[in-house]
Amino acid sequence: MIDSMKAVYDEVVTRDPGQKVFHQAVHEVLETIADVAALPKYSGASILQRIVEPERQIMFRVPWVDDAGNVQVNRGYRVEFNSALGPYKGGLRFHPTVNLGVIKFLGFEQVFKNALTGLGIGGGKGGSDFDPHGRSDGEVMRFCQSFMTELYRHIGDHTDVPAGDIGVGGREIGYMFGQYKRITNRFEAGVLTGKGTGWGGSYGRTEATGYGAVFFTERMLDRKGKSLDGQRVVVSGSGNVAIYAAQKAQQLGAHVVAFSDSSGYVVDEQGVDVDLLREVKEVQRGRVADYVAGRPGAKLHTEGSVWDVPCTIALPCATQNELDESHARTLVDNGVLAVAEGANMPCTPEAVEVFQAAGISFGPGKAANAGGVATSALEMQQNASREQWSFDKTVAKLEIVMTNIHDNVARTAEQHGAAGNYVLGANVAGFVQVADSMLAHGVV
Ligand code: NDP
Ligand code: 2IT
């Protein structure tokens, strides 16, 4: 890393020494944008120093009563990172590992990702260390209501528009929307995305992140004269992103053979039964073992890693830093052709290096998983015009957005002498878009 970038990075680490995943995300961006960020118009306005510091960080107590009558206390967060391109936009994550550093990493990534969509959205992220696993619907509802009782004063359709992420899906968005409406006495559809399709949600939002990651993979393969047809695919995770990545990959002729959750991974050589997986995960809220119980021939593994399963396409769709250098070496040895991050930063920096050195097409999350937030922006468009588009119309728009992101990122990489380096292309293209708007807005 060149000296001017290192100085910015060191300042980030000194300010918040404990926020390791935030440092990791900042490091990756600074490392790849140096020649652009060092231009006098940007450095003279301290764009980098501003872009790594969130505009606003909100932390709050979330008290709620569990089914046994005990008062529980969690911590809530909303980090409003950058509004140069539009209202803050980004998901809410409910997971016990959530802390301020995690939310800042996700918010920082979101700024560049949202820029790449070209849809006029700034970047933010939020969440809580609340763990929805094993909680009743009533407990989840009371938690969501308490969370929104503080969050409502910070959000709005022109201010900050949250959505889902790990642990936050249609059920949680419903409870939060209900509480927002109750407190404000406003049916302000555009204040949250990922809503039910009966009350302001967009068709295709549920599928969008997984579908988008597969569209992005298809474009990366196209560039190498290949297609998804007949490819052997492994996804990690078995949540929202993983399920619909598997569904779209199958629709495009791929053979999806494995998925996982935090209890283990499943190999299903007949091809994953996505309808069964949806039933187990979305309806029963079960574990991967419940899939195996209903699927003769599928095998559950509780040792090792889903990345041990040979494949030509790897789609990490679970969580950050789930795929490390040794997993990457195994994938390369097993003949992987392309890796696209459905999750945010699932591959460690060392793993990314292994893929790039081996000439594997590698799609970083801020490009490859941008389909979710892009479709959230399409939901905002529908809300603003009081329209509702069909599933097919929305997915067709999503596919165009993903193609544009792919082409923009690939072109940017080429223009900067790094053909095929989607990490550099995404970071530079995203940075320029945000930085130019920040310059236009003056020192704010
Ligand atoms: P879900 O909560 O629907 O699913 C998450 C999946 O990942 C589950 O199978 C979960 O297993 C697994 N997982 C989560 N944390 C861990 C962990 N620490 N170790 C092992 N497995 C884990 O979340 P999503 O599918 O929505 O999100 C997945 C990823 O995609 C995240 O990185 C998210 O930020 C990213 N993303 C999501 C978007 C969206 O629209 N939802 C948009 C863009 C990116 P278990 O149930 O056992 O915990
Ligand atoms: O990481 C992400 O892009 C998301 N969780 C989706 C955010 C959104 O606002 O739809």
Side-chain angles (χ1 to χ4, degrees):
M1 196 185 278
I2 66 168
D3 285 353
S4 56
M5 298 295 121
K6 178 97 177 37
V8 175
Y9 178 73
D10 288 347
E11 177 68 24
V12 166
V13 174
T14 306
R15 262 202 180 138
D16 297 295
Q19 298 179 349
K20 300 282 183 247
V21 280
F22 177 55
H23 304 162
Q24 183 184 332
V26 170
H27 194 275
E28 184 216 271
V29 169
L30 294 180
E31 208 174 36
T32 47
I33 64 171
D35 61 332
V36 177
L39 292 172
K41 64 174 174 174
Y42 298 133
S43 60
S46 295
I47 291 291
L48 274 184
Q49 287 82 349
R50 285 193 271 158
I51 223 167
V52 297
E53 181 67 14
E55 290 176 15
R56 189 175 298 109
Q57 307 179 55
I58 301 149
M59 284 173 63
F60 49 98
R61 181 172 69 195
V62 189
W64 57 284
V65 181
D66 69 18
D67 285 346
N70 300 312
V71 176
Q72 301 275 349
V73 180
N74 288 98
R75 185 171 285 179
Y77 302 88
R78 186 72 183 167
V79 171
E80 298 180 331
F81 222 111
N82 193 297
S83 61
L85 296 177
Y88 309 107
K89 182 82 196 87
L92 298 170
R93 176 177 292 190
F94 293 170
H95 194 272
T97 57
V98 163
N99 57 42
L100 185 58
V102 168
I103 298 299
K104 280 177 68 181
F105 126 62
L106 291 163
F108 183 72
E109 291 287 292
Q110 201 82 46
V111 172
F112 299 88
K113 181 194 306 190
N114 293 4
L116 291 174
T117 68
L119 293 170
I121 38 181
K125 201 85 187 189
S128 173
D129 57 3
F130 172 71
D131 185 359
H133 284 115
R135 292 292 179 188
S136 68
D137 280 352
E139 289 178 315
V140 170
M141 181 183 75
R142 292 192 293 280
F143 174 81
C144 288
Q145 289 176 339
S146 180
F147 185 83
M148 185 53 82
T149 299
E150 173 59 33
L151 188 68
Y152 90 95
R153 68 186 86 245
H154 307 289
I155 63 177
D157 57 0
H158 293 284
T159 309
D160 183 356
V161 183
D165 193 81
I166 291 178
V168 177
R171 173 182 61 170
E172 292 74 17
I173 294 293
Y175 293 148
M176 287 190 273
F177 186 77
Q179 184 74 348
Y180 183 87
K181 180 167 65 64
R182 186 181 191 193
I183 294 174
T184 60
N185 194 30
R186 284 167 60 85
F187 194 109
E188 189 183 330
V191 71
L192 289 171
T193 59
K195 299 181 293 295
T197 52
W199 43 276
S202 174
Y203 288 108
R205 176 62 188 89
T206 303
E207 292 83 357
T209 311
Y211 278 23
V214 172
F215 291 143
F216 193 90
T217 306
E218 220 191 1
R219 297 304 174 274
M220 290 200 300
L221 290 171
D222 260 6
R223 257 183 110 241
K224 292 188 158 174
K226 296 189 160 57
S227 80
L228 267 167
D229 193 31
Q231 302 292 350
R232 194 177 148 90
V233 176
V234 168
V235 303
S236 63
S238 48
N240 174 260
V241 181
I243 288 173
Y244 294 98
Q247 185 177 74
K248 181 49 72 181
Q250 284 183 346
Q251 288 170 1
L252 295 175
H255 192 55
V256 183
V257 293
F259 58 85
S260 64
D261 68 12
S262 58
S263 65
Y265 68 95
V266 170
V267 179
D268 187 348
E269 288 291 349
Q270 310 159 78
V272 171
D273 180 341
V274 171
D275 290 338
L276 174 61
L277 186 59
R278 287 183 56 200
E279 169 67 25
V280 166
K281 286 289 172 180
E282 294 179 346
V283 182
Q284 300 168 15
R285 298 184 187 277
R287 312 301 294 157
V288 289
D290 300 314
Y291 174 93
V292 173
R295 180 77 169 165
K299 197 161 180 300
L300 174 66
H301 298 258
T302 53
E303 303 288 330
S305 157
V306 73
W307 306 121
D308 297 337
V309 182
C311 62
T312 54
I313 307 291
L315 302 175
C317 298
T319 194
Q320 63 271 11
N321 293 329
E322 53 154 310
L323 194 166
D324 66 15
E325 184 178 0
S326 73
H327 300 135
R329 287 194 194 289
T330 304
L331 285 165
V332 170
D333 290 346
N334 286 337
V336 77
L337 297 170
V339 180
E341 294 188 321
N344 285 307
M345 209 169 74
C347 299
T348 65
E350 297 77 18
V352 176
E353 257 182 68
V354 170
F355 293 137
Q356 290 180 331
I360 310 303
S361 301
F362 174 75
K366 59 172 80 71
N369 73 38
V373 77
T375 307
S376 280
L378 300 180
E379 183 169 324
M380 291 162 71
Q381 284 184 24
Q382 293 168 74
N383 294 151
S385 60
R386 294 183 166 277
E387 282 178 278
Q388 189 172 42
W389 307 336
S390 68
F391 181 85
D392 289 348
K393 175 172 172 170
T394 312
V395 173
K397 283 180 182 275
L398 165 66
E399 187 162 5
I400 292 169
V401 171
M402 295 314 295
T403 302
N404 289 342
I405 293 174
H406 171 274
D407 293 354
N408 180 19
V409 167
R411 192 173 48 245
T412 305
E414 261 170 49
Q415 286 166 352
H416 289 264
N421 185 339
Y422 290 94
V423 176
L424 183 143
N427 289 339
V428 170
F431 172 77
V432 168
Q433 177 113 15
V434 177
D436 286 345
S437 300
M438 288 174 71
L439 281 182
H441 295 161
V443 179
V444 290

